[in-house]
């Protein structure tokens, strides 16, 4: 239901963006026909769009103020971001400008656009993959969760050693499994949707099982079961981390672009208009 | 499903606050965070597990339930927690990192902008102000003056600079520091139009865009933009362009009345002249090598002279002729003094000597003898005072009338009244005797071409002619005049043109055409007559009326008058290169055999004419300049500006020091 409302908002803002773009293109073309400067119109529209895009981040900090739902703002941000790319090309008239400052500004704008598109892409793709894990976990609690799993595993290994009098499981844990349980692993595989962690667990992870007696197998299977749980947590860690960390690139670049655009706006008004 | 929802109850685990700037440092080692967490400043808050509370003289453990509740050992006697741990190093949260990166990016950009904002003032300077490289021409001469060559620097203070953002720019005015036009720079097409479009103010930046790179054209004007002012919009030249005028490309008759139809259809077909017919058709007489908007005609010597050169020298102008007198208007004594005895007077002296010898035989005629001797002395140039009285009746040697040019020179109303002209003619001839050409130069002083009218006229010739005429004798030239130039016959002073373009002949023709004081219709008719006299010039050179001077005419001496259609441009060069020389010209220029070409030169209005060629219509051009074929944009044939020029010579050394900056000019 929420997914449907989100798509509806995106479509609504998408249509609005197309309308704004068409209006700006028509107005700039009319100005061009009238020997005016079409880049003035497109420039002002682009600046307003950029500032409104930047306001998305401000809105997150002002969650106490009823400024609309996050879904609404995300849809607006996505549509306005695409509109900004189109408006940028309309404004600059070129994919790659001439001046050094304009080139730096353009480079940053393209980086912001690319990171934004990638961010939107992963925000559409990774949550589905996380839902398939059938567990929910808060990103900030993942280290504690892993620590607790590690404690449980180590407790099982101790108990196994004490009860069975064999240290095969303990040695296997120290030599192999400890690496896996010490921290999240297989980050890349989890991000791209691979199952390297599962393969590892079913390969090197269970390699010692054939050498265990029946009581040891019982403990060992519990350890592997916890390992499979950790695989799911690792997947959350990788995917949730990426969903958060791409903003470490996108937001600072956006700030740089906005500052450079404002300076560009001032310079144009001082020296050109 | 949450791994274990119960484990995260508020009494079992700390409440996660992602918006806090720091997180417990144990998380960086993938361990469990402490129950207390870091402070907002980033210091470890988990050195002790609780802060004991002093209550009823006892310290009580305050460890939270989620950390296990009060410990068994309890606080130490000094009130410190018994569970002390090594301090961790809290790690910034993701939000904190994002804020730091954002601030860093902002600071970096601001620093770079501040550092490079006004670094260098060259057009190629690396700074944030420079929006791109200038075009080749502009970058060269702005290298010395920098940005301020065109842009107002606004460099008084920061407030002035910022205020400029809301002030109208002066960029277009700066262009006028170097560029000039025949009209106002801000008027459409630099003209003052009577139509409504003329009220619109224009700016250079409407059509010209700079800072687009060295090899980029700064003019980008599309056909549709012309419709910003031109109300009659049309799709393209090949589709809807207004029709050319009925006489296009001619707007007036040619300077030279060369009848192409007559020459090609009649004269060059004549067996007598067929060998002189132009072998290469048009380019025999038109110099394709110098072609531009027009294809200029070659010189007279290279074209018409082949057939018409002999007709130049045979035309004579009678500038002055000695008229008939009833009485001798000359002071004989003065003439004798200035000229000495003439041949006639010497002959007369011989006769007197014979008479004296006869009378010496009869001394009784002493009185008569005395008178004879007095005459004798006078004839020999020895006498003083007045001439002796003569019983002979004065009989003028000339029976001529004054020519029209002489009437103009003497300022007479007509040349038939002897009583009126005797005295001024006498004075003029005596002036010729005494001062040669000065007498004549005085008569034309102030008239157009005065310095040339008597150019080359010898004062000796005038003196001899004057002496002869003053002595009531015909002038006897030492030899017959064969070559051109000034010469005199018995009773007249004449000029014969030396060659085509003779300056003296042109000066007299110009004087007659210009009219004005003293120039009678008779004189104008005489000189401009095509049948004889120097007026033969106007047989080929058209005579045109002068604007605002109804009585004046003007001779079109120059060949190949360049069209003054200011906003139309055309070059024959690419067309000739494409079509080839010779008959290819006739692809567009088709002779009109029915045109009354010669008749239009019988009147003086150059705008009433019949061209030798049929008019060129749009379709002639559309044959090539059409959609999908050769270019057809407006600016291909139309020039926007009117008389574009430069105030200063452009050099690579930069803008001359005397060019005022926009600031100095108040721009």
């Amino acid at each position: 239901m929420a997914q449907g409302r989100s798509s509806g908002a995106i479509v609504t803002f998408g249509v609005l963006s197309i309308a704004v773009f068409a209006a700006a293109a028509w107005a700039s073309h009319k100005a061009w026909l009238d020997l005016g400067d079409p880049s003035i119109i497109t420039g002002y529209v682009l600046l307003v769009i950029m500032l409104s895009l930047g306001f998305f981040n401000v809105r997150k900090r002002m969650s106490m103020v009823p400024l609309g739902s996050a879904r609404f703002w995300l849809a607006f941000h996505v549509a306005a971001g695409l509109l900004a790319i189109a408006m940028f090309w309309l404004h600059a008239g070129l994919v790659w400008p001439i001046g050094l400052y304009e080139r730096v500004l353009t480079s940053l704008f393209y980086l912001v656009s690319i990171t934004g598109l990638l961010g939107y892409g992963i925000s559409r793709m990774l949550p589905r993959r996380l839902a398939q894990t059938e567990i929910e976990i808060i990103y900030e609690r993942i280290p504690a969760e892993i620590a607790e799993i590690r404690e449980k595993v180590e407790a099982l290994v101790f108990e196994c050693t004490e009860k069975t009098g064999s240290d095969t499981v303990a040695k296997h844990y120290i030599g192999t499994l400890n690496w896996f349980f010490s921290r999240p692993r297989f980050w890349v595989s989890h991000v791209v949707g691979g199952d390297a962690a599962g393969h590892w667990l079913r390969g090197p992870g269970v390699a010692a099982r054939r050498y265990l007696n029946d009581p040891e197998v019982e403990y060992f299977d519990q350890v592997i079961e916890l390992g499979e749980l950790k695989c799911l947590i690792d997947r959350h860690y990788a995917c949730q981390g990426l969903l958060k960390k791409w903003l470490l690139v996108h937001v600072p670049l956006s700030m740089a672009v906005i500052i450079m655009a404002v300076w560009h706006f001032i310079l144009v008004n001082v020296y050109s208009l | 499903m949450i791994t274990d929802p119960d484990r995260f109850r508020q009494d079992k685990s700390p409440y996660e606050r992602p918006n806090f700037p720091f997180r417990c440092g144990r998380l960086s080692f993938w361990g469990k965070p402490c129950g207390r967490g870091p402070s907002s400043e980033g210091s470890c808050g988990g050195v002790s597990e609780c802060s004991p509370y002093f209550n009823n003289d006892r310290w009580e453990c305050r460890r939270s339930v989620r950390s296990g509740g009060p410990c068994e050992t309890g606080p130490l006697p000094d009130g410190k927690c018994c569970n002390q741990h090594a301090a961790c190093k809290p790690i910034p949260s993701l939000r904190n990192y994002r804020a730091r990166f954002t601030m860093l990016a902002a600071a970096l950009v601001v620093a770079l902008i501040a550092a490079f904002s006004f670094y260098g003032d060259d057009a190629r300077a690396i700074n944030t102000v420079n929006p791109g490289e200038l075009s080749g021409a502009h970058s060269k001469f702005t290298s010395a003056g920098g940005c301020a060559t065109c842009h107002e620097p606004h460099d008084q203070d920061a407030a002035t600079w910022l205020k400029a953002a809301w002030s109208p720019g002066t960029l277009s005015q700066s262009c006028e520091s170097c560029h000039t036009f025949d009209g106002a720079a801000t008027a459409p097409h630099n003209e003052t139009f009577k139509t409504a479009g003329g009220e619109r103010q224009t700016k250079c930046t409407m059509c010209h865009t700079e800072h687009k790179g060295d090899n980029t054209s700064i003019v980008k004007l599309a056909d549709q933009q012309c419709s910003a002012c031109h109300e009659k919009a049309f799709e393209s030249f090949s589709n809807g362009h207004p029709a050319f005028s009925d006489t296009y490309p001619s707007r007036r008759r040619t300077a030279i009345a060369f009848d192409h139809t007559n020459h090609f259809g009649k004269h060059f077909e004549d067996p007598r002249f067929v060998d002189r017919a132009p072998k290469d058709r048009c380019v025999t007489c038109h110099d394709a090598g110098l072609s531009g908007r027009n294809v200029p005609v070659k010189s007279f010597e290279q074209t018409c002279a082949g057939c018409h050169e002999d007709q130049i020298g045979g035309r004579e102008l009678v500038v002055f002729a000695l008229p008939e007198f009833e009485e001798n208007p000359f002071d004989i004594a003065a003439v004798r003094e200035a000229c000495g005895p003439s041949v006639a007077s010497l002959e007369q002296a011989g006769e007197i000597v014979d008479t004296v010898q006869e009378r010496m035989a009869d001394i009784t005629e002493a009185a008569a003898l005395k008178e004879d001797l007095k005459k004798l002395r006078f004839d020999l140039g020895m006498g003083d005072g007045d001439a002796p009285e003569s019983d002979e009746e004065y009989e003028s040697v000339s029976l001529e009338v004054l020519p029209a040019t002489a009437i103009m020179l003497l300022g007479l109303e007509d040349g038939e009244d002897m009583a009126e002209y005797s005295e001024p003619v006498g004075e003029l001839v005596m002036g010729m005797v005494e001062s040669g050409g000065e007498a004549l130069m005085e008569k034309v002083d102030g008239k157009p071409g005065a310095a040339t009218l008597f150019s080359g006229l010898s004062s000796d010739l005038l003196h001899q002619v004057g002496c002869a005429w003053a002595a009531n004798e015909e002038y006897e030239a030492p030899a017959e005049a064969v070559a051109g130039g000034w010469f005199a016959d018995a009773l007249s002073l004449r000029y014969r043109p030396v060659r085509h373009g003779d300056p003296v002949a042109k000066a007299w023709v110009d004087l007659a055409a210009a009219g004005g004081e003293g120039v009678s219709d008779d004189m104008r008719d005489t000189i401009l007559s095509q049948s004889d006299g120097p007026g033969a010039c106007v047989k080929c050179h058209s005579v045109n009326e002068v604007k605002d001077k109804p009585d004046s005419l003007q001779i079109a001496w120059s060949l190949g008058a360049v069209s003054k259609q200011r906003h139309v441009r055309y070059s024959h060069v690419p067309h000739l290169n494409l079509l080839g020389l010779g008959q290819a010209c006739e692809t567009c220029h088709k002779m009109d055999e029915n045109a009354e070409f010669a008749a239009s030169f019988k009147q003086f209005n150059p705008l009433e004419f019949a061209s030798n060629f049929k008019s060129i219509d749009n379709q002639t051009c559309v044959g090539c300049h059409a959609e999908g074929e050769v270019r057809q944009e407006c600016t291909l044939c139309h020039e926007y500006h009117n008389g574009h020029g430069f105030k200063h010579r452009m050099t690579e050394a930069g803008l001359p020091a005397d060019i005022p900056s926009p600031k100095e000019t108040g721009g």
Side-chain angles (χ1 to χ4, degrees), chain B residues 175-478:
Chain B
C175 304
E176 296 178 60
S177 300
C178 298
H179 295 270
T180 61
F181 308 97
D182 284 351
T186 55
H189 293 287
N190 310 122
E191 302 270 10
T192 302
F193 292 107
K194 294 176 182 175
T195 55
E199 296 173 1
R200 179 173 179 168
Q201 292 285 298
T202 60
K203 291 180 180 177
C204 306
T205 50
M206 285 178 167
C207 304
H208 299 281
T209 309
E210 253 298 356
H211 294 289
K212 295 296 181 188
D214 186 18
N215 296 318
T216 308
S217 171
I218 64 168
V219 187
K220 283 186 178 176
L221 192 67
D223 290 356
Q224 302 97 304
Q225 290 177 289
C226 298
S227 299
C229 299
H230 293 265
E231 293 175 357
K232 185 171 183 181
F234 50 90
E235 191 174 321
S236 64
F237 172 72
S238 59
N239 189 3
H241 186 282
F244 294 165
S245 67
D246 292 339
T247 58
Y248 186 83
S250 304
R251 303 183 76 197
R252 53 183 295 155
R253 68 187 176 196
T254 52
I256 304 300
F258 178 80
D259 192 334
H260 288 78
T261 309
N262 211 20
H263 278 77
F264 279 92
K266 180 180 174 185
H267 303 314
F268 295 151
E269 298 290 331
D270 190 322
R272 293 174 296 171
F273 311 121
V274 71
D275 59 325
R276 303 181 194 180
K279 303 292 184 297
D280 298 322
R281 301 284 290 181
C282 309
V283 293
T284 305
C285 298
H286 290 271
D287 194 344
L290 298 175
S291 59
R293 183 165 177 168
N294 289 17
V295 182
V297 181
K298 294 177 182 175
S299 66
F300 173 83
E301 288 73 20
Q302 293 174 291
T303 54
C304 312
C307 298
H308 298 284
E309 188 167 27
D310 295 342
Q311 298 170 15
I312 303 294
R315 306 288 182 165
E316 292 178 3
L317 170 67
V318 180
V319 176
F320 186 82
L322 186 70
E324 181 183 8
F325 299 109
E326 287 183 340
E327 295 177 355
N328 189 354
F330 304 108
D331 182 350
I332 300 300
V335 173
R336 288 287 162 83
E337 185 178 352
C339 303
S342 65
V343 175
S345 61
L346 289 174
E347 289 176 354
Q348 188 178 3
E351 292 174 2
I352 292 171
V353 170
D354 293 342
T355 306
V356 168
Q357 287 175 340
E358 290 173 5
R359 289 183 178 175
M360 286 287 284
D362 186 359
I363 198 66
T364 56
E365 295 188 40
L369 185 61
K370 186 179 178 181
E371 193 61 29
D372 287 342
L373 287 172
K374 189 178 178 182
K375 283 184 179 177
L376 180 61
R377 286 178 59 85
F378 183 80
D379 288 341
L380 294 174
M382 298 165 64
D384 297 328
D386 297 334
E389 292 181 2
S390 174
D391 296 336
E392 293 178 16
E393 186 179 350
Y394 178 79
E395 185 176 350
S396 178
V397 70
S398 173
L399 298 176
E400 301 285 336
V401 294
L402 280 170
T405 48
I407 294 171
M408 182 275 295
L409 290 172
L410 296 170
L412 303 174
E413 290 186 4
D414 64 65
E416 296 179 0
D417 186 354
M418 286 187 194
E420 184 192 12
Y421 68 64
S422 291
E423 185 177 349
V425 169
E427 288 175 358
L428 176 63
V429 173
M430 284 306 295
M432 290 164 60
V433 169
E434 292 170 354
S435 57
E438 286 182 19
L440 290 172
M441 289 300 293
E442 286 174 4
K443 299 296 182 185
V444 295
D445 189 29
K447 294 192 180 298
T452 314
L453 287 171
F454 291 106
S455 177
L457 177 55
S458 166
S459 287
D460 287 342
L461 173 64
L462 286 176
H463 176 78
Q464 292 169 18
V465 170
C467 287
W469 290 348
N472 196 31
E473 297 171 3
E474 291 183 347
Y475 169 70
E476 291 185 11

Side-chain angles (χ1 to χ4, degrees), chain A residues 32-35 99-101 134-136 140-141 143 145 148 150-151 183 247 263 267 269-271 273, chain B residues 1-3 7-8 14 16 23 27 30 98 117 126 128 131 151 161 165 169 200 206 222 224-225 228:
Chain A
W32 175 76
L33 284 177
D34 202 32
L35 296 174
L100 177 64
Y101 182 79
E134 297 183 347
I135 64 169
E136 292 181 6
E140 283 74 16
R141 284 178 175 159
E145 189 75 17
E148 192 159 322
R150 190 168 58 243
E151 286 176 0
R183 56 167 297 168
L247 291 172
W263 180 246
L267 287 181
N269 277 277
V270 170
Y271 290 115
L273 300 180
Chain B
M1 182 197 95
I2 296 177
T3 52
R7 199 155 42 78
F8 295 111
E16 294 291 347
R23 302 178 65 204
L27 294 172
W30 305 100
R98 204 166 68 204
S117 282
I126 300 174
T128 60
H151 295 275
W161 186 86
R200 179 173 179 168
M206 285 178 167
Q224 302 97 304
Q225 290 177 289

Side-chain angles (χ1 to χ4, degrees), chain B residues 71-242:
Chain B
C71 63
E72 294 179 0
T73 309
L76 298 174
D78 59 355
K80 290 184 178 176
C81 175
C82 64
N83 293 314
Q84 296 288 325
H85 305 290
C88 75
K89 186 179 180 184
I91 56 174
S93 64
L94 275 179
R95 176 176 285 251
N96 190 353
Y97 271 122
R98 204 166 68 204
R100 287 183 183 188
F101 287 170
T102 304
M103 293 304 295
L104 180 66
L108 194 63
V109 168
V110 170
L112 286 174
I113 286 174
F116 289 97
S117 282
F118 306 101
Y119 180 75
D121 195 26
D122 193 292
R124 295 185 177 88
I126 300 174
N127 58 35
T128 60
V129 179
N130 186 358
E133 200 174 350
L134 287 170
S135 60
H138 283 160
S139 65
K140 286 193 176 88
F141 77 83
T142 55
S143 56
C147 305
T149 306
C150 303
H151 295 275
E152 173 69 38
H154 307 296
D155 55 356
Q156 288 81 3
D157 52 55
T160 307
W161 186 86
L162 206 57
K163 188 180 174 185
W166 286 270
S167 305
T170 60
L171 199 53
S172 290
Q173 295 168 24
S174 302
C175 304
E176 296 178 60
S177 300
C178 298
H179 295 270
T180 61
F181 308 97
D182 284 351
T186 55
H189 293 287
N190 310 122
E191 302 270 10
T192 302
F193 292 107
K194 294 176 182 175
T195 55
E199 296 173 1
R200 179 173 179 168
Q201 292 285 298
T202 60
K203 291 180 180 177
C204 306
T205 50
M206 285 178 167
C207 304
H208 299 281
T209 309
E210 253 298 356
H211 294 289
K212 295 296 181 188
D214 186 18
N215 296 318
T216 308
S217 171
I218 64 168
V219 187
K220 283 186 178 176
L221 192 67
D223 290 356
Q224 302 97 304
Q225 290 177 289
C226 298
S227 299
C229 299
H230 293 265
E231 293 175 357
K232 185 171 183 181
F234 50 90
E235 191 174 321
S236 64
F237 172 72
S238 59
N239 189 3
H241 186 282

Side-chain angles (χ1 to χ4, degrees), chain A residues 5-271:
Chain A
R5 285 202 298 269
S6 179
S7 299
I10 286 182
V11 170
T12 304
F13 282 117
V15 171
L16 274 175
S17 296
I18 292 170
V20 169
F21 180 79
W26 178 81
S28 66
H29 182 68
K30 194 168 183 301
W32 175 76
L33 284 177
D34 202 32
L35 296 174
D37 189 348
S39 59
I40 294 176
I41 294 170
T42 55
Y44 273 100
V45 173
L46 182 59
L47 185 65
V48 170
I49 293 171
M50 282 183 173
L51 293 174
S52 63
L53 285 167
F55 197 74
F56 181 53
N57 195 40
V58 177
R59 185 265 163 205
K60 285 182 179 176
R61 297 171 184 276
M62 299 171 67
S63 55
M64 74 297 290
V65 182
L67 294 173
S69 66
R71 186 176 60 250
F72 167 88
W73 276 97
L74 176 63
F76 170 77
H77 193 77
V78 171
L82 292 172
L83 173 63
I85 295 172
M87 194 60 68
F88 183 88
W89 284 327
L90 186 64
H91 174 67
L94 298 166
V95 174
W96 191 239
I98 305 291
L100 177 64
Y101 182 79
E102 280 68 19
R103 283 179 174 170
V104 174
L105 175 57
T106 302
S107 303
L108 290 175
F109 179 83
Y110 284 155
L111 283 174
V112 171
S113 302
I114 291 168
T115 55
L117 290 169
L118 288 175
Y120 180 69
I122 62 175
S123 69
R124 300 283 294 176
M125 183 175 63
L126 296 184
R128 292 176 185 172
R129 195 176 298 159
L130 291 176
Q132 290 170 357
T133 64
E134 297 183 347
I135 64 169
E136 292 181 6
I137 186 165
I138 298 171
Y139 178 74
E140 283 74 16
R141 284 178 175 159
I142 287 177
E145 189 75 17
I146 289 174
E148 192 159 322
I149 289 174
R150 190 168 58 243
E151 286 176 0
K152 284 182 180 176
V153 168
E154 288 174 356
L156 283 169
V157 171
F158 274 122
E159 190 178 333
C160 175
T161 304
E162 286 175 3
K163 296 283 177 64
T164 63
S166 170
D167 63 351
T168 309
V169 173
K171 284 181 178 175
H172 181 63
Y173 174 76
I174 293 169
T176 305
L177 294 177
N178 182 48
W179 172 84
F180 175 72
F181 285 102
S182 63
R183 56 167 297 168
R185 299 291 181 186
F186 301 104
W187 188 88
V188 174
S189 173
H190 288 306
V191 165
V192 300
D195 190 27
H199 282 293
W200 185 89
L201 202 58
R202 290 188 291 274
V206 301
R209 194 173 188 276
R210 71 181 74 173
Y211 308 108
L212 305 178
N213 54 32
D214 288 345
E216 284 177 315
V217 167
E218 195 174 324
Y219 283 104
F220 189 76
D221 285 347
Q222 291 180 54
V223 170
I224 295 303
E225 192 177 338
L226 285 170
E228 287 172 351
L229 176 62
K230 182 181 175 286
C231 278
L232 299 178
I233 294 172
D234 283 357
R235 179 167 296 176
H236 270 273
Y237 175 77
C239 294
Q240 286 195 45
L242 190 61
L243 283 168
K244 292 174 182 290
K245 286 174 183 173
W246 74 273
L247 291 172
L248 293 177
V249 180
H250 184 71
V251 174
L253 286 177
S254 301
M255 176 61 78
V257 167
I258 288 173
I259 292 173
M260 292 191 76
V262 170
W263 180 246
H264 170 76
F265 163 79
I266 293 171
L267 287 181
V268 168
N269 277 277
V270 170
Y271 290 115

